Amino acid sequence: MTHFVLEKNAVVRGLCPHDCPDTCALLTTVEDGRAVKVQGNPDHLHTQGVLCTKVSRYTERTYSPQRLTHPLKRVGPKGLGQFEPVTWEEAIADIAGKLQHIAATDPEAILPYSYAGTMGWVQGESMASRFFHQLGASFLDRTICASAGSEGLTYTLGGKLGMKTEFFSESKLIIIWGSNSIASNIHFWRLAQEAKRNGAKLICIDPRKSETAEKCHVHLPIRPGTDAALAFAVMRELVIHDWLDHDYLEKYTLGWASLRERAMTWTLARAAEVCGIEESLIEDLAKDWGTTSQAAIRLNYGMQRVKGGANAVRAVACLPALTGAWRHRSGGMLLSNSSNFTVNKADLYRPDLLGARRPRILNMSTIGNELNHPGSPAWGPQIKAVLVYNSNPLAVAPNSSQVAQGFAREDLFTVVMEHFQTDTADYADYVLPATTQLEHWDVQGSYGHTDLLLNRPAIEPVGQAKPNTEIFRLLAKAMHFTGPCFTEDDLSLCRTAAGPQVDFEMLLSQGFVTMPVADAPFATGGFATPSGKCEFVSDRLAAMGLDPLPDHVPNYEVPVAGHKYPLAMISPPARNFLNSSFVNVESLRAIEKEPLVEISFEDAALRGISTGDTVKIFNDRGEYHCKADVTVRARVGVVNGLGIWWRKFGLNGTNVNEVTSQLLTDLGRAPVFYDCQVEVALIKKG
Ligand SMILES: Nc1nc2c(c(=O)[nH]1)N[C@H]1C(S)=C(S)[C@@H](COP(=O)(O)OP(=O)(O)OC[C@H]3O[C@@H](n4cnc5c(=O)[nH]c(N)nc54)[C@H](O)[C@@H]3O)O[C@H]1N2
Ligand SMILES: Nc1nc2c(c(=O)[nH]1)N[C@H]1C(S)=C(S)[C@@H](COP(=O)(O)OP(=O)(O)OC[C@H]3O[C@@H](n4cnc5c(=O)[nH]c(N)nc54)[C@H](O)[C@@H]3O)O[C@H]1N2
Ligand code: SF4
Ligand SMILES: [Mo]
């Protein structure tokens, strides 16, 4: 283990590991071995000394009386959360024995399940990957958040690349597209405010009149899943008014003639009908985009959680090339910057441990189906064991009744590594207490900016908690996996992850380093696509038998007059939660109060619903009870079921994912959380 002595009194440099584009630099004040304060590092450009409300309460979360402090073994029925404490030795020996027994028949019956509870490269997939590679377990396709948009972006721009976030402060037009920045990207909102003070116009495109939408100059409340239609109508306007940068189009793009042809079919009237907004809003949007130099789009993942999510991202990603917005450092677009970081995968994950084996890949987004699959020669063995870390699938995966049914299987062996007794932990055979960011080492990049950060432990582990890495080292040892890669300590893993190209000494002393990224990455082309151009048309997609051009792909579930589920439901996050993290932090839950659905005055009146009433949201997949909020935040025909509450805090023991489906996006195999038709009915007044 790391021979590293923690100081009893210190201010310790760290990083916020949550799934958030801001990736803040933290300063934790430690007094007498106890963390008393967590603040933003004022020396870090992107943090500017400020944290969101959630993480400012980090000590409350860390020292919560509900923290898991010792290993637990299930003693009651699955799902009820009845456990007794056991020693680490007993837990590890039993888990290793069970896994060995399953692996003796077929290691692919074992599945890791993890996502972004921590985005750290070390406490994420480092020792864990080595362990599962050696074991030969099934692979997990980590699609639950961003893979549709990421693929769309990658086919068009060549990678998860875009504007440097800091230059949005100089933009003259910012379109916030499918993002509630005030809730989920607060440091970007500060930049947008700065731009606004310097005269920039802010436009928000979002079905919900979010906290962000109401503070922008213009809000386009489009129907969920219609962003590509909007983008095409904008393109057509750009053509008609010749707001195009012909030189840029010619030199740095591929397939303009074909894209133009498709765009010309999207009249204002056609797009207005599909998007459910007035023509003039689209006309004005196009004019602003076409006539403002230094125009920028902050796209975010909210708009790709629908059937056509990847195509929508592709369509929007064409817009900056049409007008040559990329020529300016304060123009272009940003969805994600994560391709600027290169995790040293070969050394960190050690895929070589697989040898000749090529285990099957199972999709985390359809875990409900997968856990209930009996196994078949084509599909492979039935899943017999799941090891969950950094994720809470019972709450976050779609179609939860199926997920719950799967995890309730008596013949399934489930291990959950967690900070808290989550909905998923309630179904575990063993719950293992994990350390938080204040208690372990890590290193990671960001998907919203271009700095790499290091996290030092500030305090000793709370109770008997152990880092994920240590849990996998212990399991590896118990399963007789030998070799130095199974004993590498966490500080060394940080070094391995960062790779040789990073100045690790600077990372150690300063806590962050900036990646070498050009200020205006595509000013003169240089896209990371095979052609080096912005690919409106993709030969790679054509080779896969897919449409080489972006298109408007309608939702799976669309409102049909007279249909029994007439309302579209989106389920963006509540501001004070981060996915299902923080829901159990009492002071934050007190702000969000109760699970609720936002519904328009018109839709509420039709159903006799008033604010504060208890309602049910339902469809053929299930029903979810919550409180109604009759509000202008919801547009007619769309309800907003704010997420992601723990099921056990729900009024009927479910959450919003009870009604979402396991269907997948056009590209990227991602879930379609915001492509979901429901009905809402009154249960109880007041
Ligand atoms: N406070 C807080 N911050 C978070 C998170 C959190 O849970 N809470 N989650 C983190 C994670 S995991 C991620 S991936 C990022 C997500 O970052 P964002 O993608 O910015 O996520 P949201 O804030 O959910 O914003 C999505 C917005 O998209 C809107 N939307 C829904 N459907 C559509 C559509 O079809 N078209 C358009 N144009 N808009 C649509 C929603 O109403 C919502 O306001 O945020 C991260 N930050
Ligand atoms: N309906 C609906 N569903 C959604 C979404 C939506 O908008 N609507 N958003 C989706 C998105 S964008 C995402 S990213 C997923 C998020 O899904 P997840 O990544 O599963 O996110 P969380 O719900 O925050 O769960 C993370 C868990 O990891 C734990 N954890 C944190 N750090 C550590 C650690 O160091 N070690 C261990 N062992 N555990 C740790 C936390 O305590 C927490 O319980 O949810 C998706 N689900
Ligand atoms: S959740 Fe986001 S905004 Fe909040 S501290 Fe972490 S990185 Fe910063
Ligand atoms: Mo996410």
Side-chain angles (χ1 to χ4, degrees), residues 52-205:
C52 62
T53 316
K54 307 175 287 295
V55 174
S56 330
R57 314 271 172 100
Y58 224 58
T59 53
E60 183 184 340
R61 184 177 189 272
T62 308
Y63 295 116
S64 161
Q66 305 152 21
R67 257 305 280 282
L68 295 165
T69 51
H70 41 251
L72 298 170
K73 183 178 179 172
R74 179 169 66 89
V75 291
K78 291 200 176 196
L80 292 193
Q82 293 163 3
F83 292 89
E84 67 179 19
V86 288
T87 63
W88 271 106
E89 291 70 24
E90 193 183 334
I92 294 290
D94 196 19
I95 295 166
K98 294 255 175 9
L99 295 181
Q100 267 166 332
H101 179 73
I102 296 167
T105 310
D106 191 340
E108 290 185 30
I110 300 170
L111 180 72
Y113 197 95
S114 67
Y115 200 64
T118 167
M119 304 240 335
W121 295 349
V122 171
Q123 303 307 333
E125 310 310 317
S126 67
M127 199 52 76
S129 289
R130 296 175 182 185
F131 176 82
F132 290 114
H133 284 151
Q134 176 74 39
L135 186 61
S138 286
F139 277 115
L140 185 71
D141 197 5
R142 292 184 172 80
T143 55
I144 203 156
C145 169
S147 56
S150 301
E151 290 212 6
L153 196 71
T154 301
Y155 280 110
T156 312
L157 306 183
K160 289 181 259 178
L161 299 165
M163 282 174 66
K164 284 180 129 178
T165 186
E166 55 268 41
F167 297 133
F168 276 90
S169 65
E170 299 169 4
S171 303
K172 293 297 171 209
L173 171 69
I174 301 179
I175 302 177
I176 301 178
W177 200 321
S179 176
N180 182 5
S181 315
I182 293 182
S184 60
N185 192 186
I186 186 72
H187 294 79
F188 169 78
W189 181 247
R190 285 169 61 110
L191 299 168
Q193 290 299 100
E194 201 180 321
K196 190 179 174 188
R197 281 194 296 277
N198 293 325
K201 182 169 182 179
L202 307 186
I203 301 177
C204 183
I205 303 174

Side-chain angles (χ1 to χ4, degrees), residues 42-57:
D43 297 334
H44 184 238
L45 173 72
H46 303 292
T47 307
Q48 301 204 344
V50 182
L51 304 179
C52 62
T53 316
K54 307 175 287 295
V55 174
S56 330
R57 314 271 172 100

Side-chain angles (χ1 to χ4, degrees), residues 242-391:
D242 197 23
W243 290 320
L244 298 167
D245 183 332
H246 294 281
D247 180 59
Y248 196 94
L249 280 170
E250 187 164 327
K251 286 191 183 131
Y252 309 127
T253 71
L254 194 71
W256 170 230
S258 325
L259 182 68
R260 184 179 184 281
E261 198 179 317
R262 184 161 291 177
M264 291 315 282
T265 67
W266 283 94
T267 60
L268 288 173
R270 182 180 177 204
E273 171 71 27
V274 169
C275 301
I277 55 173
E278 289 157 34
E279 284 184 31
S280 62
L281 280 173
I282 308 177
E283 216 174 349
D284 292 347
L285 175 71
K287 183 169 187 194
D288 285 331
W289 184 252
T291 60
T292 314
S293 95
Q294 304 181 66
I297 299 171
R298 182 56 166 109
L299 194 63
N300 222 322
Y301 288 109
M303 51 83 80
Q304 46 97 65
R305 307 194 201 292
V306 291
K307 182 181 181 189
N311 265 281
V313 168
R314 292 195 69 215
V316 175
C318 296
L319 292 174
L322 262 62
T323 55
W326 290 117
R327 291 187 191 272
H328 304 272
R329 69 179 191 179
S330 53
M333 67 175 270
L334 173 63
L335 171 59
S336 164
N337 250 321
S338 41
S339 297
N340 289 305
F341 304 94
T342 41
V343 186
N344 178 4
K345 291 184 182 150
D347 291 336
L348 191 65
Y349 305 157
R350 296 294 306 273
D352 57 296
L353 295 169
L354 279 168
R357 297 171 297 176
R358 291 292 171 267
R360 68 169 165 189
I361 305 169
L362 298 178
N363 190 344
M364 72 183 304
S365 300
T366 47
I367 186 68
N369 286 341
E370 266 133 35
L371 288 178
N372 291 301
H373 199 297
S376 73
W379 191 75
Q382 183 185 38
I383 300 172
K384 291 281 186 348
V386 186
L387 282 80
V388 181
Y389 51 103
N390 306 338
S391 188

